[in-house]
Amino acid sequence: MQVTETLSEGLKREFKISVPASDLDAKAGAKLVDLKDKVRINGFRPGKVPVTHLKKVYGRSVMAETIDQTIRDTNTQLFSERGFRLATEPKITMPTEQAEVEELLNGKTDLTYTVAIEVVPSIALADFKTFEVEKPVAEVTDADVDEAIKRIADSNRGYAAKGEGAKAESGDRVTVAFKGTINGEAFEGGAGEGIQVVIGSNTFIPGFEQLIGIAANETRTLKVAFPKNYMNDKLAGQPAEFETTATLIEAPQDLAIDDEFAKTLGLESLDKLKEAARERLVAEFATATRQRVKRALLDRLDEAHRFEAPPSLVDEEFNLMWNSVKAEMESAGKTFADEDTTEDAAKEEYRKIADRRVRLGLVLSEIGEKNKISVTDDEVGRAVIERARSMPGREKEVWDYYRSNAQALAQLRAPIYEDKVVDFILELAKVTEKKVSRDDLYKDDEAEKTAA
């Protein structure tokens, strides 16, 4: 076997490899001998088929298998000897001329091919004991609890019919009947009766809640457009008109927050409701604290590990983000000008984010590998159970989906692995708690999530 490096540029490598025909013939011959005891051919006793006859019948297919196996074995040996960690699958270039292929399959010429790869750079990990991380901690106040209970009450309050001739206002509930058309034609699922719409809830497609000022028995034609990412492909992005008649206008009613209200929620008293609300808020604050600490740690890892990320991985990450961004903007009917930027500037910014994500992913992987951090099947199983519990009535469907979908399981495994690596670093780093208000804890939360 002869190996010649033909390209070494950044993280890209390319090799020309030549394997003598005699080596291929020997390997193919061994396969044919092994095949001798496995095949049944009319006219020959089991195990007595001459190898020469086997070669006539199976020679080309056996040589094709031999070539494929030789390429895999040769590449594995090459990458192992040179200590390469591959960023992507190798790109193999083989002879394509029919005459060359025939000679190769007939064992008359050497196997010559090229393999192009992109490697992961060696990563020098920082000393995590030098890391300093601030941990923001917010205390749940009585006001926070009262606000949470008020939100619960608002979502459970009743509605009462408004007087004759009353018109709908924001927050009112309007019961409607409607018939939808696209280009004058009715469509499946476009009609309904007794449908309740709370104005301002944004639970219907954009534009459908244009009902402020409508009165009972009044009919309006609502002109709307289905979102471009609508679940029904036939309706996605389509403009539609809904002939809508209001049959009832109701106003939200005040709801007393007392023991009786708590009992409607299955709790013994208002005090018990407050306890439950406080426990939930404590958990929510803890989650927010965790996210803030994690983002701060990722920022520190980003600063401490500057290296060239494999371009193909950055391109792949960028394309995923960019396609998602464009789809969301099209769905919302926005342009880059609406965001005070240009497409080129946005692309540059998202490419930086893609580069950061790839580098951090490689760093976390390196830390986990060097410190033997892994995710057990039990941990993944618990994650599947939690996901199933979050979808009552569809538990079996969720369980079957993950059991038969390796990629979906990998998507559950990845964040568990990341969290375990983060916890490992935090055990070494110097973490200092800082008391903050609830507002400070959630300050710029969405912007920070995007950056992270």
Side-chain angles (χ1 to χ4, degrees):
M1 179 181 71
Q2 183 178 357
V3 178
T4 305
E5 187 173 46
T6 57
L7 176 69
S8 178
E9 185 179 287
L11 299 177
K12 294 182 179 180
R13 304 285 188 276
E14 190 172 295
F15 299 91
K16 183 177 181 180
I17 299 173
S18 180
V19 180
S22 57
D23 289 358
L24 295 176
D25 188 60
K27 293 178 180 179
K31 283 180 177 289
L32 288 170
V33 171
D34 183 59
L35 194 63
K36 183 178 178 181
D37 297 325
K38 298 178 180 178
V39 298
R40 298 289 183 266
I41 297 179
N42 291 336
F44 295 95
R45 286 183 296 158
K48 299 299 182 180
V49 184
V51 173
T52 53
H53 186 72
L54 287 174
K55 189 171 184 178
K56 288 180 181 179
V57 178
Y58 299 109
R60 287 169 62 86
S61 62
V62 167
M63 181 58 79
E65 291 177 10
T66 300
I67 291 170
D68 184 59
Q69 186 64 51
T70 298
I71 290 175
R72 290 201 301 269
D73 293 345
T74 301
N75 288 347
T76 299
Q77 180 183 343
L78 171 65
F79 304 150
S80 177
E81 288 177 350
R82 305 205 177 202
F84 291 152
R85 290 175 57 197
L86 303 191
T88 57
E89 287 295 316
K91 181 181 179 182
I92 311 297
T93 304
M94 296 277 292
T96 55
E97 292 292 333
Q98 186 64 31
E100 292 181 89
V101 174
E102 288 295 327
E103 287 199 340
L104 183 58
L105 292 176
N106 290 322
K108 296 180 179 179
T109 185
D110 296 344
L111 166 63
T112 301
Y113 69 95
T114 61
V115 55
I117 59 174
E118 193 171 86
V119 300
V120 174
S122 59
I123 302 173
L125 296 177
D127 180 1
F128 304 126
K129 292 181 181 178
T130 66
F131 281 20
E132 295 183 4
V133 180
E134 187 176 84
K135 180 181 180 180
V137 179
E139 180 182 350
V140 177
T141 66
D142 291 343
D144 293 328
V145 174
D146 290 341
E147 183 181 340
I149 292 176
K150 184 179 183 303
R151 288 196 299 269
I152 296 172
D154 287 343
S155 64
N156 284 274
R157 68 172 59 199
Y159 289 82
K162 300 178 81 170
E164 184 177 350
K167 298 184 181 296
E169 302 174 74
S170 179
D172 286 350
R173 186 169 71 183
V174 183
T175 302
V176 299
F178 60 82
K179 293 180 181 179
T181 58
I182 295 178
N183 297 323
E185 298 289 332
F187 58 90
E188 185 178 356
E193 293 184 1
I195 307 300
Q196 295 178 331
V197 182
V198 176
I199 300 177
S201 64
N202 297 318
T203 53
F204 289 78
I205 61 174
F208 194 84
E209 295 177 12
Q210 305 169 36
L211 298 171
I212 290 180
I214 197 170
N217 301 317
E218 181 182 340
T219 298
R220 284 186 182 178
T221 298
L222 307 179
K223 296 184 178 181
V224 304
F226 285 96
K228 292 187 177 180
N229 59 350
Y230 193 63
M231 65 185 75
N232 186 328
D233 294 337
K234 293 181 180 179
L235 301 179
Q238 293 287 334
E241 292 187 356
F242 287 89
E243 185 180 278
T244 306
T245 301
T247 57
L248 179 65
I249 311 296
E250 297 173 294
Q253 299 299 291
D254 290 334
L255 181 64
I257 299 176
D258 52 19
D259 289 344
E260 292 304 314
F261 170 63
K263 289 177 181 177
T264 65
L265 301 176
L267 295 165
E268 298 175 5
S269 63
L270 180 58
D271 287 340
K272 291 294 184 181
L273 175 58
K274 289 183 177 181
E275 286 179 19
R278 185 178 294 276
E279 288 176 4
R280 181 169 180 175
L281 287 173
V282 167
E284 290 178 359
F285 283 18
T287 298
T289 292
R290 167 73 178 185
Q291 292 302 318
R292 288 285 295 272
V293 169
K294 184 176 178 179
R295 289 196 291 273
L297 182 62
L298 291 178
D299 286 341
R300 186 70 181 85
L301 287 172
D302 179 36
E303 295 169 3
H305 300 90
R306 296 289 181 174
F307 55 86
E308 180 188 2
S312 60
L313 295 184
V314 175
D315 288 343
E316 182 180 340
E317 183 69 26
F318 168 78
N319 289 333
L320 285 172
M321 286 194 298
W322 189 248
N323 291 337
S324 176
V325 167
K326 290 186 68 176
E328 288 179 10
M329 293 187 70
E330 288 177 4
S331 175
K334 290 185 177 181
T335 66
F336 289 102
D338 294 331
E339 302 294 330
D340 293 325
T341 187
T342 65
E343 182 170 350
D344 288 342
K347 279 185 175 180
E348 183 180 353
E349 187 62 30
Y350 277 101
R351 186 163 288 279
K352 289 178 182 177
I353 296 173
D355 178 81
R356 170 189 163 99
R357 285 185 176 181
V358 170
R359 282 188 296 104
L360 286 176
L362 293 174
V363 168
L364 293 171
S365 177
E366 184 79 4
I367 296 169
E369 185 176 330
K370 287 193 172 180
N371 294 281
K372 296 180 172 54
I373 298 171
S374 61
V375 177
T376 66
D377 290 341
D378 285 345
E379 289 171 324
V380 176
R382 286 195 292 272
V384 173
I385 291 172
E386 287 301 316
R387 186 61 59 89
R389 284 176 176 170
S390 69
M391 303 179 72
R394 300 178 61 189
E395 290 87 352
K396 186 178 184 303
E397 179 185 342
V398 173
W399 183 261
D400 290 342
Y401 170 73
Y402 282 105
R403 187 176 59 179
S404 61
N405 192 324
Q407 185 175 358
L409 275 180
Q411 290 174 345
L412 283 183
R413 185 182 294 269
I416 299 173
Y417 179 83
E418 180 178 291
D419 280 340
K420 293 183 78 169
V421 174
V422 166
D423 287 337
F424 169 80
I425 301 172
L426 289 175
E427 287 181 5
L428 299 174
K430 181 181 179 181
V431 181
T432 305
E433 288 194 0
K434 178 184 178 181
K435 296 290 185 182
V436 298
S437 67
R438 177 187 179 281
D439 289 343
D440 285 338
L441 180 63
Y442 288 99
K443 185 178 180 182
D444 299 327
D445 194 48
E446 290 303 317
E448 290 183 15
K449 282 182 183 177
T450 301

